[in-house]
Amino acid sequence: MAISLGTASTVHIAVDGDTPTYALLGKVTSGELTITTDIAEGTNNDSGGFKEFLYADTDYALSVTVKYDAADAQQTALFTACATRSDADATYLTVRVRPSVVSSAEQWAFRALCTSFKINMSHGEVNTASFEFRGTVTPLSGTNVTPVLTVQ
């Protein structure tokens, strides 16, 4: 992956489920993709007196801040998806993060739940909106970078 400025990064969101039609999330001012893997201790009598660890579950989180625009259709769809929550039928999103516009092969795509959103209204400043996503289930296939995350 080539070095690039954050301004070259893009975040695309699809609210339509299994066959995502991505739309660019506009006016992004910052974002952070975090991938963490738990470890489980597997120490036993054969470990020779040393602790032994194994990879366990992997977790994905994405936080994004945008300049709030009530007229932006993608922001409105995302607010609706984040506000619509049902235990019986969770609203999943598909999220695609590209750290560079140079190559579409450099991307992470995953299904996720919107875990929080907020609108920040500071006197004398441009309003911003923040979204938090947590990846769920297995990564999406069809991308060239591992891991691939799916937010649905």
Side-chain angles (χ1 to χ4, degrees):
M1 179 184 312
I3 295 173
S4 63
L5 294 174
T7 55
S9 303
T10 58
V11 176
H12 297 80
I13 308 288
V15 184
D16 55 0
D18 293 334
T19 54
T21 302
Y22 293 103
L24 177 66
L25 182 59
K27 302 171 185 66
V28 173
T29 59
S30 66
E32 181 176 272
L33 174 64
T34 305
I35 303 169
T36 56
T37 300
D38 295 334
I39 57 172
E41 186 171 349
T43 307
N44 58 41
N45 290 340
D46 296 328
S47 299
F50 292 92
K51 286 191 174 190
E52 189 174 343
F53 295 96
L54 306 168
Y55 284 115
D57 297 328
T58 299
D59 183 37
Y60 308 100
L62 174 67
S63 60
V64 177
T65 301
V66 300
K67 291 184 190 241
Y68 176 65
D69 182 357
D72 186 302
Q74 187 62 11
Q75 286 186 20
T76 301
L78 191 51
F79 280 126
T80 302
C82 289
T84 305
R85 182 186 171 278
S86 168
D87 290 334
D89 183 25
T91 300
Y92 290 100
L93 302 169
T94 303
V95 174
R96 181 174 66 195
V97 177
R98 289 184 171 163
S100 170
V101 295
V102 176
S103 172
S104 62
E106 297 174 357
Q107 67 181 11
W108 288 269
F110 55 97
R111 293 217 162 129
L113 294 171
C114 179
T115 57
S116 74
F117 73 96
K118 63 183 175 180
I119 299 174
N120 307 300
M121 300 165 283
S122 298
H123 181 74
E125 295 183 21
V126 173
N127 291 341
T128 60
S130 300
F131 302 92
E132 301 281 335
F133 304 97
R134 292 292 295 270
T136 183
V137 301
T138 59
L140 289 176
S141 60
T143 59
N144 298 324
V145 175
T146 303
V148 175
L149 310 177
T150 304
V151 179
Q152 181 182 352

